[in-house]
Amino acid sequence: MPTGEGTHERARLPTTVPFPTTVPFVKDLHAAARALDAEDPLATYRERFVIADPDLVYFDGNSLGRLPVTTGQRLVEAVSREWGGELIRGWDRWIGLAREAGDVLATGVLGVDPGEVVLSDSTSVNLYKLAAAALDARPGRSVIVTDDDNFPTDRYVLAGLAETRGLTLRVVETDINQGLDPAHLRAALDPDVALVCLSHLAYRSGALVDLVAVTEAAHEVGALTLWDLCHSAGSVPVPLREAGADLAVGCTYKYLNAGPGAPAFLYVRADLQSRLRQPIWGWFGQRDQFAMGTDYDPVESVERFVVGTPPVLGGYAVLEGASITAAAGIGAIAAKGAALTSYAISLFDAWLAAEGFELATPREPERRGAHVTLYHPEAWRICQAMKAAGVVPDFRTPDRLRMGFAPLYTRFVDVHEGFARLREVMRSGGWTRFPAERGRVT
Ligand SMILES: *Cc1c(COP(=O)(O)O)cnc(C)c1O
């Protein structure tokens, strides 16, 4: 176990320093959890979130983060005082919200400059807009590169763009447990490649891609890069600036705790903004929008990638969620994520390897994010049994349990309790009572 001292120490380090790579064997795993919680520099952050059912072990903050207490209050106020009281006059303040929240994400979460990030639309739509803009900026090139482990919406959006434009989607093979091998990616690059689009952190395995190395390789052949940060924004440092990365998108309802369907963000490196044109010419991207001019003339700033009226309530929720992450610091969050996942892997080794599970996440902390995935041929039935036992993981095809330990509010004792209940589900054979057919949402 890393000691509390070590955790404090890591929290102060610059964000690119690797996490410790070994977790010594500890006999009393429960005592270790209590000791780690007692010395956790982020422990008080849990109080900032609504914990409606203290008995529920929530391992799904990587799909939908918890509700921050201040967000509930902020939204009630925005609805009653701003919408209810100010009516249309509220737009005087709402008009700048997408940019304001974007600046908090830029400086407090993503380590880039104010003016390089803005809220808009969903991740899927932003991915389409930025991929199309990148392809337009590389005329004459015919290939888009992605990998076969990328999130479905990314693959569909890219396949659609390739088909409608007569381009080739070149799909690199990735290990479903260990993540993308940069050597495979390099082998897929040549001067025909216009765009490389990958997830920074694999949604299933939690494996991290070397964003700096891949960006460098893409730039060497003259391609642009578009990163999907859905599982890394708010869980690990994102080295966009260090890499000189071009474009990125991400959602805010996972580790950033902005709530179901909250608006996504997009990042465009400052020097690229005026050179790129997005495909949806909407009035919120227009210079002097309220002049209501006849011709589209986009602003120079990142707001040229916005389309229409921004969701105000969701925008406030992003502002609150991102501010909490910024206050805690991404270095401290990532260090705790590494310790939580290391602790979970200790429990897996001690209890679950013998029950037919296999680890489907890299063992080295610096190669993963804040979730751990376990393979089991009966993962779907086990997932249902865990929910019945008051533990919420999620099931991911083909046969995996994904357990997310959102560092801002997950305690080491929660990891212990959740894994203890899972062990009990296995030992009692309780999972065999659940159906093999899958539900619509897993
Ligand atoms: C969650 C997630 C998305 C979600 O996209 P939406 O447009 O918000 O539905 C996209 N990409 C990745 C990698 C994700 O993890």
Side-chain angles (χ1 to χ4, degrees), residues 68-153:
V69 175
T70 45
T71 299
Q73 295 160 349
R74 188 74 189 82
L75 293 186
V76 167
E77 208 177 290
V79 168
S80 60
R81 190 166 56 78
E82 296 181 22
W83 177 15
E86 295 177 7
L87 290 166
I88 194 75
R89 295 168 291 183
W91 275 110
D92 288 340
R93 74 169 90 217
W94 301 330
I95 198 83
L97 184 57
R99 179 69 183 266
E100 192 188 336
D103 285 350
V104 175
L105 288 165
T107 57
V109 179
L110 302 174
V112 294
D113 286 332
E116 291 189 307
V117 177
V118 72
L119 290 189
S120 83
D121 303 309
S122 64
T123 300
S124 304
V125 171
N126 288 333
L127 197 90
Y128 175 82
K129 293 186 308 192
L130 294 192
L135 294 172
D136 288 340
R138 288 291 179 274
R141 292 183 177 230
S142 60
V143 177
I144 304 170
V145 170
T146 189
D147 75 324
D148 64 359
D149 196 40
N150 205 349
F151 193 79
T153 207

Side-chain angles (χ1 to χ4, degrees), residues 340-350 359 361-363 368 372:
L340 285 163
T341 49
S342 295
Y343 179 69
I345 291 171
S346 302
L347 295 174
F348 158 80
D349 287 334
L359 186 64
T361 294
R363 272 194 183 266
R368 61 171 189 257
V372 162

Side-chain angles (χ1 to χ4, degrees), residues 84 103 142 151 231 287 404 408 417:
D103 285 350
S142 60
F151 193 79
H231 280 274
R287 197 189 304 273
L408 285 175
E417 179 63 23

